[in-house]
Amino acid sequence: MRITSNNLDDTIQLNQQIHHETQNHLKYMHRFLAKYEIHSPEKLGLQILKDNYLIQIPIPNLDWGGAIRELPNGRKVPVINTAQPRLYQYFIYWHEIYHLTEDFSNSHDISAEFDLIERKADYFASQMLISKDLYKYFLDIKHPDFVCRVAICMDTFKVPYKAILIQLYESAIEYENKKLQEQIKLNFDTPFDVQSWIDIFRKLSLDENLVKPSYIVDFGLLKYEVVSIETSDDRVFIETKEFIDALEKKYLLVKGKLESGEL
């Protein structure tokens, strides 16, 4: 479900319904994360995905951020679209980590609850990346322009525009800040392309790389395991190697075309 100003209130109500379940999952994750000595949320998310055979490839479809895919050998791996701006990639890290770590064994009908599952994953990602101090932090920013203040929050918390607005809107309701609620709804559907964000970040002396794609092509542990075995007669291994080699060749070509502006 695409979130707009028209269904923003419904989204917040849904967040409230899944809040307790999400908090329980967050508690589990904090125990799980104790073995990692990485304090940057985006780098921590990346390492967890790499440990689970992450594939990073640029896909020229900005509506597609990532997914869990099954390889010919049956292994389920996360895939991240590196044609997305880095802020979106960071958010998708934790969205996919939710899918990797959530136990759906008690769900009675997963297909009927697809939107709910995706909302849970998005809400979990927001909770992992955005501090509870966002509301006060935003109000303390001394800048007259609303979008610029949001951009500063994007730079600080390393999350996309709408993720900031949804979290702010939830806090604005909690603190009965009607003016902020109106501002958020007024700006929620404003379209920004990559160049627009680059211009805004540059004007504010923020890290403009955050709003640029990375175009990384990386098969991580999968590629390492394939090249570490010199020869094998195993059919599954051969099929997996051919699959990875073909994908890498394809997306290196895509990377070149994206960087040159052909796509």
Side-chain angles (χ1 to χ4, degrees):
M1 179 181 72
R2 185 180 294 275
I3 302 173
T4 68
S5 58
N6 291 328
N7 61 19
L8 182 55
D9 288 288
D10 293 336
T11 299
I12 299 305
Q13 289 180 9
L14 191 54
N15 283 353
Q16 292 170 350
Q17 292 175 26
I18 64 177
H19 178 77
H20 180 70
E21 181 181 344
T22 304
Q23 291 303 312
N24 285 338
H25 194 64
L26 285 168
K27 290 177 182 177
Y28 159 76
M29 282 303 300
H30 286 307
R31 292 194 297 270
F32 171 77
L33 299 175
K35 65 180 180 179
Y36 292 92
E37 295 184 359
I38 302 174
H39 300 292
S40 166
E42 66 274 14
K43 293 186 184 301
L44 175 59
L46 178 61
Q47 187 58 53
I48 293 170
L49 292 179
K50 283 185 173 181
D51 289 347
N52 285 275
Y53 293 84
L54 171 67
I55 294 175
Q56 298 182 82
I57 49 177
I59 300 173
N61 178 355
L62 294 184
D63 290 327
W64 197 88
I68 306 297
R69 290 288 184 254
E70 186 170 329
L71 298 182
N73 64 0
R75 185 188 298 280
K76 293 182 179 180
V77 301
V79 182
I80 297 295
N81 180 9
T82 59
Q84 291 271 17
R86 285 171 172 81
L87 286 178
Y88 290 86
Q89 293 182 47
Y90 299 159
F91 190 84
I92 295 298
Y93 289 173
W94 288 103
H95 178 105
E96 298 307 336
I97 287 170
Y98 177 87
H99 289 312
L100 284 172
T101 57
E102 176 68 356
D103 181 9
F104 293 121
S105 61
N106 293 323
S107 296
H108 59 279
D109 190 344
I110 292 175
S111 60
E113 299 177 355
F114 176 78
D115 283 344
L116 178 60
I117 292 170
E118 293 305 296
R119 174 90 297 264
K120 287 178 180 179
D122 278 351
Y123 188 51
F124 169 79
S126 292
Q127 298 301 299
M128 285 299 304
L129 289 168
I130 303 176
S131 165
K132 293 180 180 179
D133 297 328
L134 171 64
Y135 179 76
K136 184 178 183 301
Y137 181 84
F138 177 83
L139 294 181
D140 285 343
I141 296 173
K142 307 302 181 185
H143 197 291
D145 183 75
F146 177 83
V147 172
C148 287
R149 279 182 281 161
V150 175
I152 293 169
C153 292
M154 292 165 64
D155 178 77
T156 299
F157 296 100
K158 309 286 191 296
V159 293
Y161 179 71
K162 284 194 173 181
I164 290 289
L165 292 187
I166 292 169
Q167 191 71 29
L168 270 180
Y169 192 77
E170 191 166 2
S171 296
I173 291 174
E174 180 183 352
Y175 290 101
E176 300 181 351
N177 188 335
K178 299 292 185 182
K179 182 180 178 181
L180 181 55
Q181 291 176 51
E182 292 171 2
Q183 281 186 308
I184 292 170
K185 280 199 168 181
L186 184 63
N187 290 277
F188 197 86
D189 300 321
T190 304
F192 295 98
D193 59 17
V194 170
Q195 189 57 52
S196 296
W197 280 124
I198 290 173
D199 293 341
I200 291 170
F201 270 56
R202 188 173 292 162
K203 180 179 70 174
L204 295 169
S205 299
L206 304 176
D207 182 5
E208 63 188 72
N209 287 320
L210 291 171
V211 290
K212 294 178 180 178
S214 62
Y215 298 135
I216 290 170
V217 177
D218 181 32
F219 290 84
L221 283 174
L222 284 171
K223 181 70 173 179
Y224 173 78
E225 289 189 358
V226 165
V227 300
S228 65
I229 301 176
E230 294 183 2
T231 59
S232 174
D233 296 327
D234 181 74
R235 181 182 59 81
V236 173
F237 171 81
I238 294 171
E239 288 179 357
T240 301
K241 184 178 187 303
E242 290 174 349
F243 174 80
I244 293 171
D245 288 344
L247 271 185
E248 185 174 38
K249 183 177 180 180
K250 172 183 177 180
Y251 284 105
L252 283 171
L253 181 63
V254 170
K255 169 186 171 72
K257 289 184 176 181
L258 282 167
E259 289 178 331
S260 67
E262 293 181 57
L263 289 177

